[in-house]
Amino acid sequence: MKTAEFTFLGTGTSQGVPIIGCHCAVCRSDNPKNKRLRTAGLIRHDGKTVAIDAGPNFREQMLGAGVDHLDAILLTHPHRDHIGGLDDVRPYNYYDQRAMPLYGTAQTLQGVRENFPYAFEEHPYPGAPQFILNEIHPNGAPFRVEGLSVQAVAIEHYRMTIAAFRIGDFCYITDASAVCADSADLIRGCRILVVNALRREPHLSHFTLDQALAFIRDLQPERAYLTHISHMLEHEALCAELPENIRPAYDGLTIAFHPGA
């Protein structure tokens, strides 16, 4: 059975870690696993490369991961920490002589249009980023991206419905504050689960650590990784208190999964 690789390009919140002007122990930590760029990921499979989200650190993340060619980008939602770096697809447009395929909900694609209006003018400025917008429907039929069968799953992020992505036995969730029963059923049975865990204290639009752990216990994946982690959680302390099959992810961590047919 073929395997694919998923790399955590970033595991931090909308402000990243360290936070500008903060002098807490985590922000001052020398442990590189406490340095967290904005949350994003990268899938490598059968010679193809697909990103999940393109936030403000997109350029840095692509350079750091050595991504010379990018085939497509899956977008979870239109907040700036997830789409703010899309202008930096321009080198890929230039080298590959093609527009970059983006996959997102109608609301997410509208957010792309509003944040990068110069890319959609009738006569775009030379060098403007070029996108192909592909609308997806969470909890609808799976769609294919560069040989991968992708199931978009509806996730609640406060009052916004965003997309998680299940590919084979792997599921990637970020910015969740609630998951309905129908969506949980689409995720159930995955072997590897990535889910956000912001902090210990309650938050309006993100899972707390306890909520993330309860969600993991309900779905019972073989392994789970926490992401979208704030400066209120320290990496080594989390490792010490979590079950062995649940780990806080860190920037640059690469894991293998089975992408299915």
Side-chain angles (χ1 to χ4, degrees):
M1 182 183 296
K2 285 188 175 181
T3 61
E5 287 186 345
F6 177 82
T7 298
F8 291 88
L9 299 175
T11 56
T13 62
S14 59
Q15 298 183 82
V17 181
I19 293 175
I20 294 172
C22 182
H23 302 286
C24 74
V26 174
C27 286
R28 290 185 291 107
S29 172
D30 292 330
N31 186 344
K33 294 178 181 178
N34 284 322
K35 311 295 184 187
R36 302 170 183 140
L37 300 177
R38 275 71 160 216
T39 296
L42 189 74
I43 298 165
R44 288 187 168 104
H45 166 65
D46 202 21
K48 302 293 186 178
T49 308
V50 178
I52 301 181
D53 287 335
N57 299 120
F58 179 73
R59 176 181 177 276
E60 179 182 358
Q61 291 165 336
M62 293 297 100
L63 288 170
V67 182
D68 295 332
H69 172 78
L70 186 64
D71 292 287
I73 304 175
L74 303 173
L75 299 173
T76 60
H77 64 295
H79 286 166
R80 288 285 293 181
D81 56 321
H82 294 265
I83 68 168
L86 281 173
D87 184 82
D88 284 318
V89 305
R90 290 180 296 139
Y92 298 120
N93 296 153
Y94 175 77
Y95 288 121
D96 295 336
Q97 289 296 294
R98 69 181 185 102
M100 179 63 67
L102 307 180
Y103 294 81
T105 64
Q107 184 178 26
T108 297
L109 299 183
Q110 182 59 30
V112 173
R113 293 186 187 94
E114 292 172 355
N115 279 273
F116 304 94
Y118 52 91
F120 300 96
E121 294 175 350
E122 184 178 356
H123 302 289
Y125 184 83
Q130 301 168 42
F131 306 122
I132 299 172
L133 303 184
N134 300 280
E135 185 176 346
I136 63 174
H137 304 278
N139 292 15
F143 59 97
R144 296 197 73 81
V145 178
E146 302 297 333
L148 296 169
S149 179
V150 182
Q151 173 69 64
V153 181
I155 301 294
E156 297 310 309
H157 179 33
Y158 186 39
R159 295 177 179 174
M160 176 185 288
T161 299
I162 69 173
F165 297 109
R166 178 167 182 175
I167 303 170
D169 63 4
F170 169 82
C171 187
Y172 180 88
I173 304 171
T174 186
D175 288 49
S177 59
V179 180
C180 71
D182 287 346
S183 295
D185 286 342
L186 290 174
I187 301 165
R188 202 175 303 278
C190 69
R191 186 176 63 89
I192 300 173
L193 175 65
V194 177
V195 64
N196 58 290
L198 183 72
R199 63 190 194 189
R200 299 181 193 277
E201 296 78 12
H203 192 276
L204 188 68
S205 58
H206 297 86
F207 275 162
T208 64
L209 177 60
D210 283 346
Q211 288 171 328
L213 294 177
F215 182 67
I216 294 167
R217 285 195 297 270
D218 177 54
L219 294 184
Q220 296 186 335
E222 182 180 309
R223 293 193 63 79
Y225 296 89
L226 306 179
T227 193
H228 206 285
I229 303 168
S230 78
H231 67 151
M232 297 180 184
L233 296 173
E234 199 278 327
H235 182 85
E236 298 302 337
L238 270 178
C239 287
E241 71 175 85
L242 291 172
E244 193 61 35
N245 69 323
I246 303 175
R247 298 287 88 181
Y250 55 87
D251 294 16
L253 172 65
T254 297
I255 58 176
F257 68 95
H258 301 298

